[in-house]
Amino acid sequence: MTRVTKKTDRPLLLNADLGEGLDTDLALYPHLDQASIACGGHAGDSATMTRSVQACLAYSVTIGAHPSYPDRDHFGRRSMAMSDHALRETLTEQVNRLRLVCERAAAPLSYLKLHGALYNDVSRDVDLFQRVLAWLMDYDLPLIWMVSATATTLAMRSAAEQAGVPLCFEAFADRLYQVNGQLTARTDSNAVHGSVDVILAQVDELQHRMQVIALGGEAVPVKADSVCLHGDNPASVQAAKQLGRQLGSA
């Protein structure tokens, strides 16, 4: 299957979803390999994108576009029924916003990572996956697609490989997994790990045993290229500082 080529020899890269108007962003960039930058659908505007791109350049962080359903009122965390035309239009509009900022800064735009409900819907819905894949094939800039390491089916991976779209498989450092590989819904009070020690332990499982311990204590196999911290998690900054060292070890 097609997998992303890492820019380092580390078994796992570290990424975060940024540019969403949070004060923690600048403290995260020095520890990241990849930054998925909000480009207007759920959060972000020209000013936040410009600051984000400049920070990526300053710390040699790979830049990704982080589009969502066009739903700022619900932060992109509500599923929306969209026609193929409307979906293509919003993806193009959002990614082009960030692309323009990148071009002005002479910074490469490297990958796509969907946000929120759209990310989760694509991991469960083969038809929606195919629609986004078709858009990526038609988009005039080749982009790596960051997708869930556990929830993306073999059929989806095969389709991406046949289309020539490279995938970056992502796991989550600070989210509770279900035994089926899906993330626990954010409506659950335990959905986000608030403890730095728990986050570090989950990444240790991913790094050395290629698994996560899901709800109920069951181990779920996860083979990932990159692990994500969420910028809106208060534990993220301290965890990122330690993960930079932890992921650098064999």
Side-chain angles (χ1 to χ4, degrees), residues 69 80-92 112 114 118 121-122 125-139 145 156 159-160 163 165:
Y69 287 123
M80 298 176 65
M82 300 188 71
S83 69
D84 191 57
H85 173 76
L87 179 64
R88 282 174 165 264
E89 188 175 59
T90 193
L91 288 174
T92 300
L112 173 83
L114 303 175
L118 184 55
D121 290 349
V122 161
D125 185 334
V126 175
D127 178 67
L128 185 57
F129 180 95
Q130 292 280 9
R131 291 166 62 192
V132 175
L133 179 62
W135 172 81
L136 264 173
M137 293 171 63
D138 291 339
Y139 191 63
W145 189 4
M156 293 175 179
V165 174

Side-chain angles (χ1 to χ4, degrees), residues 7 29 33-37 49-50 52-58 60-66 98-99 101-103 105-113 141 143-144 146:
K7 69 173 186 177
Y29 284 106
D33 299 293
Q34 300 159 305
S36 307
I37 299 173
M49 285 184 274
T50 298
S52 298
V53 168
Q54 292 296 337
C56 287
L57 287 173
S60 300
V61 177
T62 301
I63 299 170
H66 196 40
L98 180 60
R99 181 178 177 180
V101 173
C102 287
E103 289 174 349
L109 178 60
S110 298
Y111 71 93
L112 173 83
K113 178 187 171 182
L141 179 68
L143 295 172
I144 296 164
M146 186 178 285

